[in-house]
Structure formats: structure tokens, C-alpha cells
Amino acid sequence: MRIKGYVFTLFFVLGVIQDSVDGRPLLLSLSRPHPDSAADFARWLVSQNSWGVLKNVVSYSDGLPNKGSGIPYFYLTTLDPTASNALKDQRSSFTISEYPIGTCGKTDPENPTCAKITLTGKLKLLDGNSDEVEYARTALFSKHPEMKDWPKGHNFQIFKLEIEDIFMINWFGGPKPLTVKEYLHIEMNKVAFVV
Amino acid sequence: MRIKGYVFTLFFVLGVIQDSVDGRPLLLSLSRPHPDSAADFARWLVSQNSWGVLKNVVSYSDGLPNKGSGIPYFYLTTLDPTASNALKDQRSSFTISEYPIGTCGKTDPENPTCAKITLTGKLKLLDGNSDEVEYARTALFSKHPEMKDWPKGHNFQIFKLEIEDIFMINWFGGPKPLTVKEYLHIEMNKVAFVV
């Protein structure tokens, strides 16, 4: 009982100090869900990391820290082939590793217990004036503070990955069955204090 | 003069202690080449990281620590689609970020000064008895000690990426022109003490 309370307090404190460490988001702030809770786990993984591979290495955000929507938003310039190709062919897959979050400890990045997720779908340019663009901009700039100062002339625009399929390995026994509906339905509040 | 000697000694010491930190390779041991030295930089980036994205997140090694050949070797099981797909269609691209090495500091992972490299080519299964397999096994097991204990029944095999094209961003101004020949020709000894 005392231990549970202590852990709860610890994660609460980590949540509060999150934005203030070196002006850079502290990645580990929510606890790691049990690998069997596939949707919780996937949402945790996406919300805790800040970059992945979308043909090239790109930064992303799925929402304010600890309030992720599960949908990855990107801030891309068409000077980079990742964005210019997407305007021609939207089909994309985006891969994120748990390893840089720090929660794999000494486990090898390829070990199935060190999680990895690939979200496959369509990379779409967002309309410049929608509510979703405002949401995505806040999501991106809160996790990647330097983005707001990136050169205006480079025509950075906001894209989102419309997820059609999820491939996640977070334990032995192959990929976890997980539908997009299950993934999007989870509320991050539920994930927050699973210990 | 004194500073140069100090830096040299520092990197020498880092090189020596490399294998002994927590039984896990210490990633930062060679100094970061100047971004204009494209081949040196690419070889440094590949030799210093230990994982990347090849459709999925995989571990790799290009040689003994600080003696990288530039060719990424993988230890894959055909239980994972990455390997089983490669046996049907060898075309692959492998992306590595500088960010997890730790040398980007507070720079955002997407910032062009935080380097990223994509090696495109053919993923080939190595013949089980060749000298190259022995070299690759030593390269892999020295950087990923737990691999030697991975379950025998899972039929892990050694693959290599035969590089045909290199796309590297390590500064402003777009991808660095870099041929495969230039990349493979560099000797890591030359890279070792660039400060």
C-alpha cells in the first residue's frame, strides 16, 4: 500500500517536472504498461518517444506531453524528399523504437521485449487553417521547441499519418494483435498511472 | 598544444574503457568528424550507432568497436517479416539516426545538423561457412553480447546489406554527395582521432 502510494507520487512528480528539465521534454514520465495491454502499450510508446523513421529520421508529436492522441503529426519541408514524395504517393510507414526512451535498460534494441511499433497508413498534408492544424502545431512545438524558429522560407507544413495498420512487438511470441480502433479508443488518462 | 594532447589522451582512454562500461559498448568513443568530410562522417555514424530501422527496428554491427567496415551486418530470424521478406525481395533501405549516440546534444532529431543516414541496397543472407560470416558474427556478438544466447530454435542467421546508394544529411544544404566507393574506401584509423 505504502509502496503503491510512493510509486504514484513519484510518477505524479515526474509528470509535473516534465517540461522543465533542460528545456527539453523528459521522455520517461508515464509508467510502462504491461505488454499484454496492447492498445495501452502502443499509445504509451507513441506518446513517450519524439522521433522515428518515416523513410528518413523525423520528429513527431501525437499531442501535449502525456496527452497524446495516438496520431503522429509531423513538421516537414518539401525540400526533404520525405514530404515531397508524400505529396505524390501518400502511402507511408512510420517506425518508432522504445530503446531511446530509456525503458529497455540493458536489453538489446532488437530483443522482442524492447518494444517497436510500425504504423502504416497515408501521410496527409493538413489544411492550413483547420482546428486540427492548431492542435498539431501546439503538439509539435511543445515537444520540439526549436521548430517554431525553423526558417520560414523553407515552407514547413504540418502532416499527419492516417493510420491504417499497426505492427507492434513488445514481448516474445510475435506481433501483438491490435486494431486501429482499439489503438485510437484508449484514453491516455487510463494509461497514465498503470504501475 | 596541451589541449590537443589532452583531447587525444581523452579519446584514447575512452577507446580503452569502451568494452567495460556496464558490459555494454560505450557508444561515443571516436570523435565526430567535420560534416564536410562526408565519407569520414558517414563511416563514423555507422560505426558508432548499434541499431536502426530496416522496415522494423533491428540491431546491427559493421565490425569490432572502432574498427567498422562500413557494411552493416544483421542477426535476423525468419520468424520476423524483415528477414522472411528479404529472402523473397532483397531490396531494402536501412536508416540510422545520430540522435541516440548522444552527440546531437539538445538539437532536435529532425534538425539537419543532427545527422541521419539511409543506406539502400540488397539484404543478403550470408553463406553459413564463409570467412565473412565469422567476421560478421564476431562483429555482431561484440556489440550485442546477448545475441549469442538467443534461442537456437529460432534459426537466427547473418545477413548483410550490400550498399548501392547512400543518402546522408549532416548539415544544412541537403544531402551530402557521397558515393559507395568513397564510403567504403575510408579507413576507420583515419577517422579515429579527428578533433
Side-chain angles (χ1 to χ4, degrees):
Chain A
M1 213 35 193
R2 183 173 285 177
I3 291 175
K4 263 199 165 171
Y6 176 73
V7 173
F8 186 93
T9 308
L10 176 69
F11 282 100
F12 178 74
V13 170
L14 281 172
V16 169
I17 62 169
Q18 154 153 325
D19 294 44
S20 61
V21 179
D22 287 343
R24 186 176 168 185
L26 179 66
L27 292 175
L28 178 62
S29 52
L30 298 182
S31 63
R32 190 180 194 262
H34 192 283
D36 284 345
S37 307
D40 287 342
F41 197 100
R43 287 289 295 277
W44 171 83
L45 184 55
V46 171
S47 94
Q48 296 303 289
N49 207 335
S50 67
W51 64 279
V53 172
L54 182 79
K55 291 166 193 161
N56 198 354
V57 175
V58 293
S59 295
Y60 75 96
S61 174
D62 75 329
L64 290 173
N66 304 341
K67 289 178 183 166
S69 64
I71 301 165
Y73 295 101
F74 306 94
Y75 195 55
L76 306 172
T77 160
T78 45
L79 295 175
D80 184 309
T82 308
S84 54
N85 290 342
L87 296 177
K88 292 175 216 152
D89 181 352
Q90 299 182 323
R91 291 173 299 171
S92 301
S93 71
F94 181 52
T95 300
I96 301 166
S97 167
E98 184 186 354
Y99 197 72
I101 299 174
T103 38
C104 294
K106 294 180 187 176
T107 303
D108 193 85
E110 189 174 311
N111 189 303
T113 66
C114 183
K116 52 267 307 175
I117 192 167
T118 298
L119 306 170
T120 307
K122 294 200 177 73
L123 190 65
K124 296 199 164 172
L125 176 64
L126 291 191
D127 175 30
N129 292 313
S130 62
D131 287 349
E132 192 175 12
V133 160
E134 287 311 311
Y135 174 84
R137 185 177 289 115
T138 308
L140 284 160
F141 291 5
S142 64
K143 287 197 177 175
H144 304 277
E146 69 170 72
M147 282 183 176
K148 64 181 185 304
D149 300 317
W150 285 359
K152 301 297 169 216
H154 285 195
N155 193 30
F156 280 94
Q157 291 175 293
I158 293 175
F159 290 75
K160 81 166 176 183
L161 186 69
E162 216 169 79
I163 305 169
E164 294 173 348
D165 192 60
I166 300 172
F167 178 95
M168 178 176 74
I169 290 178
N170 69 350
W171 196 247
F172 304 105
K176 280 283 190 311
L178 176 58
T179 66
V180 177
K181 197 174 169 189
E182 286 166 343
Y183 170 82
L184 292 177
H185 186 257
I186 291 290
E187 286 190 27
M188 282 305 282
N189 300 344
K190 267 189 58 190
V191 182
F193 299 113
V194 179
V195 283
Chain B
M1 227 11 206
R2 184 174 285 178
I3 291 174
K4 265 199 165 171
Y6 177 73
V7 172
F8 186 92
T9 308
L10 177 68
F11 282 100
F12 177 73
V13 170
L14 281 171
V16 170
I17 62 169
Q18 154 155 324
D19 294 45
S20 60
V21 179
D22 286 344
R24 185 177 169 186
L26 179 66
L27 292 175
L28 179 61
S29 52
L30 299 181
S31 64
R32 191 179 192 261
H34 192 283
D36 285 345
S37 308
D40 286 341
F41 196 100
R43 288 288 295 276
W44 171 83
L45 184 55
V46 171
S47 95
Q48 296 303 290
N49 208 336
S50 67
W51 64 279
V53 173
L54 181 79
K55 292 166 193 162
N56 198 354
V57 175
V58 293
S59 295
Y60 76 96
S61 173
D62 74 330
L64 290 173
N66 303 341
K67 291 179 183 164
S69 64
I71 301 165
Y73 295 100
F74 306 94
Y75 196 55
L76 305 173
T77 160
T78 45
L79 294 175
D80 184 311
T82 308
S84 54
N85 290 342
L87 296 177
K88 292 175 216 150
D89 181 352
Q90 299 182 323
R91 290 173 300 171
S92 301
S93 71
F94 181 53
T95 301
I96 301 165
S97 166
E98 184 185 355
Y99 196 73
I101 300 175
T103 39
C104 294
K106 294 180 186 176
T107 303
D108 193 84
E110 189 174 312
N111 189 303
T113 66
C114 183
K116 53 265 309 174
I117 191 167
T118 298
L119 305 171
T120 306
K122 293 199 177 73
L123 189 65
K124 295 199 163 171
L125 176 64
L126 291 191
D127 174 30
N129 292 314
S130 63
D131 287 350
E132 192 175 13
V133 160
E134 286 311 311
Y135 174 85
R137 185 177 290 116
T138 308
L140 284 160
F141 291 6
S142 64
K143 288 195 176 175
H144 303 278
E146 70 169 73
M147 282 182 175
K148 65 180 184 305
D149 301 318
W150 285 359
K152 301 298 169 214
H154 284 195
N155 193 29
F156 279 95
Q157 291 175 293
I158 294 176
F159 291 74
K160 80 166 177 183
L161 186 69
E162 214 169 80
I163 306 168
E164 294 172 349
D165 193 60
I166 300 172
F167 178 94
M168 178 176 73
I169 291 178
N170 68 351
W171 195 249
F172 304 105
K176 280 284 190 312
L178 175 59
T179 66
V180 177
K181 198 175 169 189
E182 285 165 345
Y183 171 82
L184 291 177
H185 186 258
I186 290 291
E187 287 191 28
M188 283 304 284
N189 299 344
K190 266 189 60 190
V191 182
F193 298 112
V194 180
V195 283

